[in-house]
Amino acid sequence: SSGINAEYGELSNDITDNQVYSIAPVLFPQLVQLFQTEALGASTRARALSIFGVFTTLISHMDSVETGANEKLLFPILPGLVDTSLNLLQAAPSAREDYK
């Protein structure tokens, strides 16, 4: 949690709202693909989620000022992320051990 807050602080200082509109549509599908790739280690997949979390926080803050940021940037990618998360949660407990 403190790691995400530190990353959020760094990114929010370095990336403007306008840049997020350019970066998120390219970055989010790649992050979801990394998360969905079972051959990758748990730490890589968890890191992809961490980066996604940093950007969703930034976009949520943007949405409080500029209504529609969530709909434009987050809502299109959420179904794939939710499906993958549900599949992981339904996996045998031994398959989830690395995510503790």
Side-chain angles (χ1 to χ4, degrees):
S1 165
S2 64
I4 289 176
N5 290 334
E7 289 176 30
Y8 168 72
E10 290 176 26
L11 280 175
S12 64
N13 290 330
D14 294 337
I15 297 175
T16 67
D17 293 359
N18 290 335
Q19 290 172 319
V20 171
Y21 280 100
S22 298
I23 294 169
V26 175
L27 179 65
F28 283 174
Q30 296 300 316
L31 292 173
V32 170
Q33 183 178 1
L34 288 170
F35 182 60
Q36 291 173 335
T37 305
E38 292 182 27
L40 294 174
S43 62
T44 301
R45 294 171 78 188
R47 181 76 176 128
L49 283 182
S50 175
I51 294 167
F52 186 80
V54 169
F55 270 86
T56 57
T57 301
L58 182 59
I59 292 166
S60 293
H61 288 288
M62 288 170 47
D63 193 71
S64 66
V65 175
E66 181 181 337
T67 303
N70 286 331
E71 288 83 3
K72 292 176 191 171
L73 299 171
L74 293 178
F75 292 178
I77 201 71
L78 288 178
L81 185 66
V82 169
D83 288 344
T84 301
S85 299
L86 289 173
N87 288 336
L88 181 64
L89 291 171
Q90 292 172 349
S94 61
R96 298 190 309 249
E97 289 297 315
D98 290 338
Y99 291 94
K100 288 184 178 179

